[in-house]
């Protein structure tokens, strides 16, 4: 069971979440949260697996200096 303060059950590093989103969409995957930039500096999306676990696929956003 996920800790009450945790947003996800698992964080999976996806170097290119935009490309992964496109591939998943082409296969009919249903997203629980669409691809987006989060307020804490990540870019990614969420899925719920068959057992109800919340999985985040993404990576830190590029920052400009």
């Amino acid at each position: 069971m996920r800790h009450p303060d945790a947003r996800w059950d698992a964080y999976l590093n996806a170097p290119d979440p935009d490309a992964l989103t496109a591939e998943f969409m082409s296969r009919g995957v249903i997203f629980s949260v669409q691809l987006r930039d989060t307020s804490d500096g990540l870019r990614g999306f969420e899925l719920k697996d068959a057992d109800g676990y919340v999985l985040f696929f993404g990576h830190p956003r590029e920052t400009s200096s």
Side-chain angles (χ1 to χ4, degrees):
M1 176 173 245
R2 181 174 56 244
H3 186 278
D5 294 336
R7 290 168 34 196
W8 315 298
D9 292 296
Y11 170 96
L12 295 98
N13 184 51
D16 189 349
D18 293 79
L20 188 58
T21 296
E23 180 176 344
F24 281 4
M25 288 177 72
S26 75
R27 297 171 185 257
V29 172
I30 298 171
F31 300 85
S32 53
V33 175
Q34 296 292 321
L35 178 68
R36 65 187 176 101
D37 292 333
T38 68
S39 62
D40 55 353
L42 300 172
R43 178 160 182 81
F45 58 89
E46 295 177 22
L47 303 177
K48 281 190 181 174
D49 74 5
D51 294 317
Y53 292 105
V54 178
L55 312 176
F56 179 84
F57 294 79
H59 74 95
R61 287 194 313 265
E62 299 294 322
T63 58
S64 27
S65 312

